[in-house]
Amino acid sequence: IFALLLLAAIAITIPVINQRISSSIRRLNRVIRSLAQGDLSRKKVPVRNDEFRDLARNVNSLSSSLSRIATFAEQIGEGRFD
């Protein structure tokens, strides 16, 4: 009986964990794809307290840096060098 309860608990837990991991990967992938296409207006990736925390923080940092560089390039293109 204990083995059956354990198997049932595992059968319930695995899909939940799989969904959580998959949703984090999909969210990060959407933001990275937008950045690759030049869309810097994409909202930041929510930073959760899971295995993807550092990756999400780094993607957010990359997005912020690219936005600052794009703004700087626009200012130079407009002749504003201050």
Side-chain angles (χ1 to χ4, degrees):
I1 293 182
F2 176 73
L4 289 176
L5 290 174
L6 181 61
L7 285 174
I10 291 172
I12 292 170
T13 304
I14 288 177
V16 171
I17 293 171
N18 184 38
Q19 173 62 27
R20 188 170 169 100
I21 291 171
S22 296
S23 68
S24 293
I25 291 172
R26 282 193 301 273
R27 193 176 315 113
L28 284 166
N29 193 40
R30 280 193 302 270
V31 172
I32 292 169
R33 185 180 317 116
S34 293
L35 291 173
Q37 294 171 347
D39 179 6
L40 304 179
S41 66
R42 188 85 180 182
K43 293 190 181 198
K44 293 191 172 204
V45 179
V47 177
R48 297 184 346 196
N49 194 18
D50 62 10
E51 297 82 9
F52 294 97
R53 177 183 55 228
D54 291 338
L55 184 56
R57 284 182 182 157
N58 290 334
V59 168
N60 289 338
S61 178
L62 173 65
S63 177
S64 295
S65 294
L66 289 173
S67 290
R68 284 193 303 273
I69 291 168
T71 299
F72 181 65
E74 288 174 5
Q75 290 172 347
I76 290 174
E78 294 168 355
R80 296 186 291 152
F81 300 105
D82 38 321

Short mmCIF file of all heavy atoms in Angstrom, two decimals, residues 4-56:
data_model
loop_
_atom_site.label_atom_id
_atom_site.label_comp_id
_atom_site.label_asym_id
_atom_site.label_seq_id
_atom_site.Cartn_x
_atom_site.Cartn_y
_atom_site.Cartn_z
N LEU A 4 2.12 1.97 -3.44
CA LEU A 4 1.09 2.54 -4.31
C LEU A 4 0.85 4.02 -4.00
O LEU A 4 0.67 4.83 -4.92
CB LEU A 4 -0.21 1.76 -4.15
CG LEU A 4 -0.21 0.35 -4.75
CD1 LEU A 4 -1.52 -0.35 -4.43
CD2 LEU A 4 0.03 0.40 -6.24
N LEU A 5 0.85 4.37 -2.72
CA LEU A 5 0.70 5.78 -2.34
C LEU A 5 1.88 6.61 -2.84
O LEU A 5 1.70 7.74 -3.31
CB LEU A 5 0.56 5.91 -0.83
CG LEU A 5 -0.75 5.40 -0.23
CD1 LEU A 5 -0.70 5.46 1.29
CD2 LEU A 5 -1.92 6.20 -0.77
N LEU A 6 3.06 6.04 -2.73
CA LEU A 6 4.26 6.73 -3.21
C LEU A 6 4.20 6.94 -4.72
O LEU A 6 4.48 8.03 -5.22
CB LEU A 6 5.52 5.95 -2.83
CG LEU A 6 6.85 6.55 -3.23
CD1 LEU A 6 7.03 7.91 -2.57
CD2 LEU A 6 7.99 5.62 -2.86
N LEU A 7 3.80 5.91 -5.45
CA LEU A 7 3.67 6.04 -6.90
C LEU A 7 2.60 7.07 -7.28
O LEU A 7 2.78 7.84 -8.22
CB LEU A 7 3.33 4.69 -7.53
CG LEU A 7 4.48 3.69 -7.63
CD1 LEU A 7 3.97 2.35 -8.13
CD2 LEU A 7 5.57 4.23 -8.52
N ALA A 8 1.51 7.10 -6.55
CA ALA A 8 0.46 8.08 -6.81
C ALA A 8 0.97 9.49 -6.56
O ALA A 8 0.70 10.41 -7.35
CB ALA A 8 -0.76 7.78 -5.95
N ALA A 9 1.71 9.68 -5.48
CA ALA A 9 2.26 11.00 -5.17
C ALA A 9 3.24 11.43 -6.26
O ALA A 9 3.23 12.60 -6.70
CB ALA A 9 2.96 10.97 -3.82
N ILE A 10 4.05 10.51 -6.72
CA ILE A 10 5.01 10.83 -7.80
C ILE A 10 4.27 11.15 -9.09
O ILE A 10 4.61 12.11 -9.79
CB ILE A 10 6.00 9.66 -7.99
CG1 ILE A 10 6.94 9.56 -6.78
CG2 ILE A 10 6.80 9.83 -9.27
CD1 ILE A 10 7.82 8.33 -6.77
N ALA A 11 3.23 10.38 -9.39
CA ALA A 11 2.46 10.60 -10.61
C ALA A 11 1.78 11.97 -10.60
O ALA A 11 1.59 12.58 -11.65
CB ALA A 11 1.43 9.50 -10.78
N ILE A 12 1.42 12.45 -9.44
CA ILE A 12 0.80 13.78 -9.34
C ILE A 12 1.85 14.88 -9.37
O ILE A 12 1.65 15.93 -9.98
CB ILE A 12 -0.05 13.86 -8.04
CG1 ILE A 12 -1.24 12.93 -8.16
CG2 ILE A 12 -0.48 15.29 -7.76
CD1 ILE A 12 -2.01 12.76 -6.87
N THR A 13 2.98 14.66 -8.74
CA THR A 13 4.01 15.68 -8.60
C THR A 13 4.76 15.95 -9.90
O THR A 13 5.05 17.11 -10.21
CB THR A 13 5.01 15.26 -7.50
OG1 THR A 13 4.29 15.01 -6.30
CG2 THR A 13 6.05 16.32 -7.27
N ILE A 14 5.08 14.93 -10.65
CA ILE A 14 5.89 15.10 -11.86
C ILE A 14 5.25 16.05 -12.86
O ILE A 14 5.91 16.96 -13.36
CB ILE A 14 6.24 13.73 -12.48
CG1 ILE A 14 7.28 13.04 -11.59
CG2 ILE A 14 6.78 13.89 -13.90
CD1 ILE A 14 7.66 11.66 -12.04
N PRO A 15 3.97 15.92 -13.20
CA PRO A 15 3.38 16.88 -14.15
C PRO A 15 3.39 18.32 -13.64
O PRO A 15 3.57 19.26 -14.42
CB PRO A 15 1.95 16.38 -14.33
CG PRO A 15 1.99 14.94 -13.96
CD PRO A 15 3.04 14.84 -12.90
N VAL A 16 3.22 18.51 -12.35
CA VAL A 16 3.24 19.86 -11.78
C VAL A 16 4.63 20.47 -11.94
O VAL A 16 4.77 21.63 -12.38
CB VAL A 16 2.82 19.83 -10.29
CG1 VAL A 16 3.04 21.18 -9.63
CG2 VAL A 16 1.38 19.39 -10.17
N ILE A 17 5.64 19.72 -11.61
CA ILE A 17 7.02 20.20 -11.75
C ILE A 17 7.34 20.45 -13.22
O ILE A 17 7.94 21.47 -13.58
CB ILE A 17 8.01 19.21 -11.12
CG1 ILE A 17 7.82 19.16 -9.60
CG2 ILE A 17 9.45 19.56 -11.48
CD1 ILE A 17 8.60 18.07 -8.91
N ASN A 18 6.92 19.53 -14.08
CA ASN A 18 7.16 19.68 -15.51
C ASN A 18 6.51 20.96 -16.05
O ASN A 18 7.12 21.70 -16.83
CB ASN A 18 6.63 18.46 -16.25
CG ASN A 18 6.94 18.49 -17.72
OD1 ASN A 18 8.01 18.94 -18.12
ND2 ASN A 18 6.01 18.04 -18.53
N GLN A 19 5.29 21.23 -15.64
CA GLN A 19 4.58 22.44 -16.08
C GLN A 19 5.30 23.70 -15.62
O GLN A 19 5.45 24.66 -16.37
CB GLN A 19 3.14 22.44 -15.55
CG GLN A 19 2.38 23.72 -15.80
CD GLN A 19 2.22 24.02 -17.27
OE1 GLN A 19 2.21 23.13 -18.11
NE2 GLN A 19 2.12 25.30 -17.60
N ARG A 20 5.76 23.69 -14.40
CA ARG A 20 6.46 24.85 -13.84
C ARG A 20 7.76 25.13 -14.61
O ARG A 20 8.05 26.26 -14.96
CB ARG A 20 6.74 24.61 -12.37
CG ARG A 20 7.27 25.80 -11.65
CD ARG A 20 7.27 25.52 -10.16
NE ARG A 20 8.00 26.52 -9.46
CZ ARG A 20 7.44 27.53 -8.83
NH1 ARG A 20 6.14 27.65 -8.82
NH2 ARG A 20 8.16 28.42 -8.21
N ILE A 21 8.52 24.09 -14.89
CA ILE A 21 9.77 24.25 -15.63
C ILE A 21 9.48 24.70 -17.05
O ILE A 21 10.12 25.62 -17.57
CB ILE A 21 10.57 22.93 -15.61
CG1 ILE A 21 11.10 22.67 -14.20
CG2 ILE A 21 11.72 22.97 -16.62
CD1 ILE A 21 11.71 21.30 -14.01
N SER A 22 8.51 24.06 -17.69
CA SER A 22 8.18 24.41 -19.07
C SER A 22 7.71 25.86 -19.19
O SER A 22 8.09 26.56 -20.14
CB SER A 22 7.09 23.48 -19.61
OG SER A 22 7.56 22.16 -19.67
N SER A 23 6.90 26.32 -18.25
CA SER A 23 6.41 27.70 -18.34
C SER A 23 7.55 28.70 -18.17
O SER A 23 7.59 29.73 -18.85
CB SER A 23 5.30 27.96 -17.32
OG SER A 23 5.81 27.94 -16.01
N SER A 24 8.51 28.40 -17.31
CA SER A 24 9.67 29.29 -17.14
C SER A 24 10.50 29.34 -18.42
O SER A 24 10.92 30.42 -18.85
CB SER A 24 10.55 28.81 -15.98
OG SER A 24 9.89 28.96 -14.75
N ILE A 25 10.71 28.21 -19.04
CA ILE A 25 11.49 28.16 -20.28
C ILE A 25 10.75 28.90 -21.39
O ILE A 25 11.36 29.68 -22.14
CB ILE A 25 11.78 26.70 -20.69
CG1 ILE A 25 12.76 26.08 -19.70
CG2 ILE A 25 12.33 26.63 -22.11
CD1 ILE A 25 12.97 24.60 -19.89
N ARG A 26 9.45 28.69 -21.52
CA ARG A 26 8.69 29.40 -22.57
C ARG A 26 8.72 30.90 -22.37
O ARG A 26 8.90 31.67 -23.33
CB ARG A 26 7.24 28.90 -22.58
CG ARG A 26 7.04 27.57 -23.27
CD ARG A 26 5.57 27.28 -23.53
NE ARG A 26 4.77 27.27 -22.32
CZ ARG A 26 4.60 26.21 -21.53
NH1 ARG A 26 5.18 25.07 -21.83
NH2 ARG A 26 3.85 26.29 -20.44
N ARG A 27 8.58 31.35 -21.13
CA ARG A 27 8.60 32.79 -20.84
C ARG A 27 9.96 33.39 -21.21
O ARG A 27 10.04 34.44 -21.86
CB ARG A 27 8.29 33.01 -19.37
CG ARG A 27 7.99 34.43 -19.02
CD ARG A 27 7.58 34.62 -17.56
NE ARG A 27 6.62 33.64 -17.10
CZ ARG A 27 6.85 32.68 -16.19
NH1 ARG A 27 7.95 32.57 -15.61
NH2 ARG A 27 5.94 31.83 -15.83
N LEU A 28 11.03 32.75 -20.79
CA LEU A 28 12.37 33.23 -21.13
C LEU A 28 12.59 33.22 -22.63
O LEU A 28 13.16 34.16 -23.20
CB LEU A 28 13.43 32.37 -20.44
CG LEU A 28 13.62 32.62 -18.95
CD1 LEU A 28 14.42 31.49 -18.32
CD2 LEU A 28 14.30 33.95 -18.71
N ASN A 29 12.13 32.18 -23.29
CA ASN A 29 12.32 32.06 -24.73
C ASN A 29 11.60 33.18 -25.48
O ASN A 29 12.14 33.74 -26.45
CB ASN A 29 11.82 30.69 -25.21
CG ASN A 29 12.26 30.40 -26.61
OD1 ASN A 29 13.38 30.71 -27.00
ND2 ASN A 29 11.39 29.79 -27.38
N ARG A 30 10.40 33.55 -25.05
CA ARG A 30 9.67 34.65 -25.70
C ARG A 30 10.44 35.97 -25.59
O ARG A 30 10.55 36.73 -26.56
CB ARG A 30 8.27 34.80 -25.08
CG ARG A 30 7.27 33.82 -25.59
CD ARG A 30 5.84 34.21 -25.20
NE ARG A 30 5.66 34.32 -23.77
CZ ARG A 30 5.30 33.33 -22.96
NH1 ARG A 30 5.08 32.13 -23.46
NH2 ARG A 30 5.13 33.52 -21.68
N VAL A 31 10.97 36.25 -24.41
CA VAL A 31 11.71 37.50 -24.22
C VAL A 31 12.99 37.49 -25.04
O VAL A 31 13.32 38.47 -25.71
CB VAL A 31 12.01 37.73 -22.72
CG1 VAL A 31 12.94 38.92 -22.53
CG2 VAL A 31 10.72 37.96 -21.96
N ILE A 32 13.72 36.39 -25.03
CA ILE A 32 14.96 36.30 -25.79
C ILE A 32 14.68 36.43 -27.29
O ILE A 32 15.42 37.11 -28.00
CB ILE A 32 15.70 34.99 -25.47
CG1 ILE A 32 16.22 35.03 -24.02
CG2 ILE A 32 16.85 34.75 -26.44
CD1 ILE A 32 16.73 33.70 -23.51
N ARG A 33 13.61 35.82 -27.77
CA ARG A 33 13.24 35.93 -29.19
C ARG A 33 12.94 37.38 -29.54
O ARG A 33 13.37 37.89 -30.57
CB ARG A 33 12.05 35.05 -29.51
CG ARG A 33 11.72 35.03 -30.99
CD ARG A 33 10.52 34.15 -31.36
NE ARG A 33 10.52 32.87 -30.69
CZ ARG A 33 9.57 32.48 -29.81
NH1 ARG A 33 8.57 33.29 -29.50
NH2 ARG A 33 9.61 31.30 -29.24
N SER A 34 12.21 38.08 -28.66
CA SER A 34 11.90 39.49 -28.90
C SER A 34 13.17 40.33 -28.95
O SER A 34 13.31 41.20 -29.80
CB SER A 34 10.97 40.02 -27.81
OG SER A 34 9.73 39.42 -27.89
N LEU A 35 14.08 40.07 -28.02
CA LEU A 35 15.36 40.80 -28.03
C LEU A 35 16.13 40.55 -29.32
O LEU A 35 16.69 41.47 -29.91
CB LEU A 35 16.21 40.40 -26.82
CG LEU A 35 15.70 40.83 -25.46
CD1 LEU A 35 16.55 40.22 -24.36
CD2 LEU A 35 15.69 42.34 -25.34
N ALA A 36 16.14 39.31 -29.76
CA ALA A 36 16.86 38.96 -30.99
C ALA A 36 16.26 39.66 -32.20
O ALA A 36 16.97 39.97 -33.16
CB ALA A 36 16.85 37.45 -31.19
N GLN A 37 14.96 39.94 -32.16
CA GLN A 37 14.29 40.62 -33.26
C GLN A 37 14.33 42.14 -33.12
O GLN A 37 13.77 42.86 -33.93
CB GLN A 37 12.84 40.15 -33.35
CG GLN A 37 12.72 38.69 -33.73
CD GLN A 37 11.31 38.16 -33.61
OE1 GLN A 37 10.42 38.79 -33.05
NE2 GLN A 37 11.09 36.98 -34.15
N GLY A 38 15.01 42.62 -32.08
CA GLY A 38 15.16 44.06 -31.90
C GLY A 38 14.05 44.71 -31.09
O GLY A 38 14.01 45.93 -30.97
N ASP A 39 13.12 43.93 -30.56
CA ASP A 39 12.03 44.49 -29.76
C ASP A 39 12.51 44.63 -28.32
O ASP A 39 12.54 43.67 -27.57
CB ASP A 39 10.81 43.58 -29.83
CG ASP A 39 9.65 44.09 -28.98
OD1 ASP A 39 9.74 45.22 -28.45
OD2 ASP A 39 8.65 43.37 -28.88
N LEU A 40 12.88 45.85 -27.96
CA LEU A 40 13.38 46.10 -26.61
C LEU A 40 12.28 46.57 -25.67
O LEU A 40 12.53 46.86 -24.51
CB LEU A 40 14.51 47.14 -26.66
CG LEU A 40 15.68 46.79 -27.57
CD1 LEU A 40 16.71 47.90 -27.56
CD2 LEU A 40 16.31 45.47 -27.17
N SER A 41 11.05 46.62 -26.17
CA SER A 41 9.94 47.07 -25.33
C SER A 41 9.34 45.94 -24.51
O SER A 41 8.47 46.18 -23.68
CB SER A 41 8.84 47.67 -26.22
OG SER A 41 8.27 46.66 -27.04
N ARG A 42 9.80 44.76 -24.73
CA ARG A 42 9.25 43.59 -24.03
C ARG A 42 9.41 43.76 -22.53
O ARG A 42 10.44 44.20 -22.05
CB ARG A 42 10.01 42.34 -24.49
CG ARG A 42 9.46 41.06 -24.00
CD ARG A 42 8.37 40.62 -24.91
NE ARG A 42 7.84 39.35 -24.41
CZ ARG A 42 6.90 38.71 -25.02
NH1 ARG A 42 6.39 39.19 -26.11
NH2 ARG A 42 6.45 37.60 -24.54
N LYS A 43 8.38 43.41 -21.80
CA LYS A 43 8.46 43.51 -20.35
C LYS A 43 9.49 42.53 -19.81
O LYS A 43 9.77 41.52 -20.42
CB LYS A 43 7.10 43.24 -19.73
CG LYS A 43 6.12 44.31 -20.08
CD LYS A 43 4.86 44.17 -19.29
CE LYS A 43 3.97 45.27 -19.77
NZ LYS A 43 2.94 45.70 -19.11
N LYS A 44 9.98 42.85 -18.66
CA LYS A 44 10.99 42.00 -18.05
C LYS A 44 10.41 40.65 -17.66
O LYS A 44 9.22 40.51 -17.43
CB LYS A 44 11.59 42.67 -16.83
CG LYS A 44 12.39 43.89 -17.19
CD LYS A 44 13.17 44.36 -16.01
CE LYS A 44 14.10 45.45 -16.47
NZ LYS A 44 15.23 45.61 -15.63
N VAL A 45 11.29 39.69 -17.59
CA VAL A 45 10.91 38.34 -17.16
C VAL A 45 10.72 38.36 -15.64
O VAL A 45 11.59 38.85 -14.92
CB VAL A 45 12.02 37.33 -17.52
CG1 VAL A 45 11.64 35.93 -17.07
CG2 VAL A 45 12.32 37.36 -19.00
N PRO A 46 9.61 37.83 -15.15
CA PRO A 46 9.46 37.76 -13.69
C PRO A 46 10.55 36.86 -13.10
O PRO A 46 10.82 35.78 -13.62
CB PRO A 46 8.09 37.12 -13.50
CG PRO A 46 7.41 37.19 -14.81
CD PRO A 46 8.45 37.31 -15.85
N VAL A 47 11.18 37.33 -12.05
CA VAL A 47 12.23 36.56 -11.39
C VAL A 47 11.59 35.80 -10.25
O VAL A 47 11.13 36.39 -9.28
CB VAL A 47 13.37 37.47 -10.89
CG1 VAL A 47 14.41 36.66 -10.15
CG2 VAL A 47 13.99 38.23 -12.05
N ARG A 48 11.53 34.48 -10.42
CA ARG A 48 10.96 33.64 -9.37
C ARG A 48 12.08 33.01 -8.58
O ARG A 48 13.24 33.03 -8.98
CB ARG A 48 10.07 32.56 -10.00
CG ARG A 48 8.92 33.19 -10.72
CD ARG A 48 7.91 32.26 -11.30
NE ARG A 48 8.23 30.87 -11.42
CZ ARG A 48 7.55 30.03 -12.17
NH1 ARG A 48 6.54 30.47 -12.88
NH2 ARG A 48 7.85 28.76 -12.22
N ASN A 49 11.74 32.45 -7.48
CA ASN A 49 12.74 31.82 -6.63
C ASN A 49 12.85 30.34 -6.99
O ASN A 49 12.46 29.47 -6.24
CB ASN A 49 12.36 31.99 -5.15
CG ASN A 49 13.52 31.66 -4.25
OD1 ASN A 49 14.67 31.63 -4.69
ND2 ASN A 49 13.24 31.40 -3.00
N ASP A 50 13.35 30.09 -8.20
CA ASP A 50 13.51 28.71 -8.65
C ASP A 50 14.83 28.57 -9.39
O ASP A 50 15.70 29.44 -9.33
CB ASP A 50 12.33 28.26 -9.51
CG ASP A 50 12.17 29.08 -10.78
OD1 ASP A 50 13.06 29.88 -11.11
OD2 ASP A 50 11.14 28.92 -11.46
N GLU A 51 14.97 27.50 -10.12
CA GLU A 51 16.22 27.20 -10.81
C GLU A 51 16.53 28.21 -11.91
O GLU A 51 17.68 28.33 -12.34
CB GLU A 51 16.15 25.79 -11.43
CG GLU A 51 16.01 24.69 -10.43
CD GLU A 51 14.57 24.49 -9.96
OE1 GLU A 51 13.64 25.10 -10.54
OE2 GLU A 51 14.38 23.75 -8.99
N PHE A 52 15.55 28.93 -12.39
CA PHE A 52 15.74 29.87 -13.50
C PHE A 52 15.98 31.30 -13.02
O PHE A 52 16.02 32.22 -13.83
CB PHE A 52 14.54 29.80 -14.44
CG PHE A 52 14.42 28.48 -15.13
CD1 PHE A 52 13.57 27.51 -14.63
CD2 PHE A 52 15.18 28.19 -16.24
CE1 PHE A 52 13.47 26.28 -15.24
CE2 PHE A 52 15.09 26.97 -16.86
CZ PHE A 52 14.23 26.00 -16.36
N ARG A 53 16.13 31.49 -11.73
CA ARG A 53 16.28 32.84 -11.17
C ARG A 53 17.46 33.58 -11.79
O ARG A 53 17.31 34.70 -12.27
CB ARG A 53 16.43 32.75 -9.66
CG ARG A 53 16.68 34.09 -9.00
CD ARG A 53 16.90 33.97 -7.50
NE ARG A 53 17.98 33.03 -7.24
CZ ARG A 53 17.91 32.04 -6.34
NH1 ARG A 53 16.84 31.87 -5.62
NH2 ARG A 53 18.92 31.23 -6.17
N ASP A 54 18.64 32.96 -11.81
CA ASP A 54 19.81 33.64 -12.35
C ASP A 54 19.67 33.90 -13.84
O ASP A 54 20.05 34.97 -14.33
CB ASP A 54 21.08 32.82 -12.08
CG ASP A 54 21.44 32.78 -10.61
OD1 ASP A 54 21.01 33.68 -9.86
OD2 ASP A 54 22.16 31.84 -10.21
N LEU A 55 19.12 32.95 -14.56
CA LEU A 55 18.92 33.13 -15.99
C LEU A 55 17.96 34.29 -16.26
O LEU A 55 18.21 35.14 -17.12
CB LEU A 55 18.39 31.84 -16.62
CG LEU A 55 18.22 31.82 -18.13
CD1 LEU A 55 19.51 32.17 -18.84
CD2 LEU A 55 17.72 30.46 -18.55
N ALA A 56 16.87 34.37 -15.52
CA ALA A 56 15.90 35.46 -15.69
C ALA A 56 16.55 36.81 -15.37
O ALA A 56 16.36 37.79 -16.08
CB ALA A 56 14.69 35.23 -14.80
#
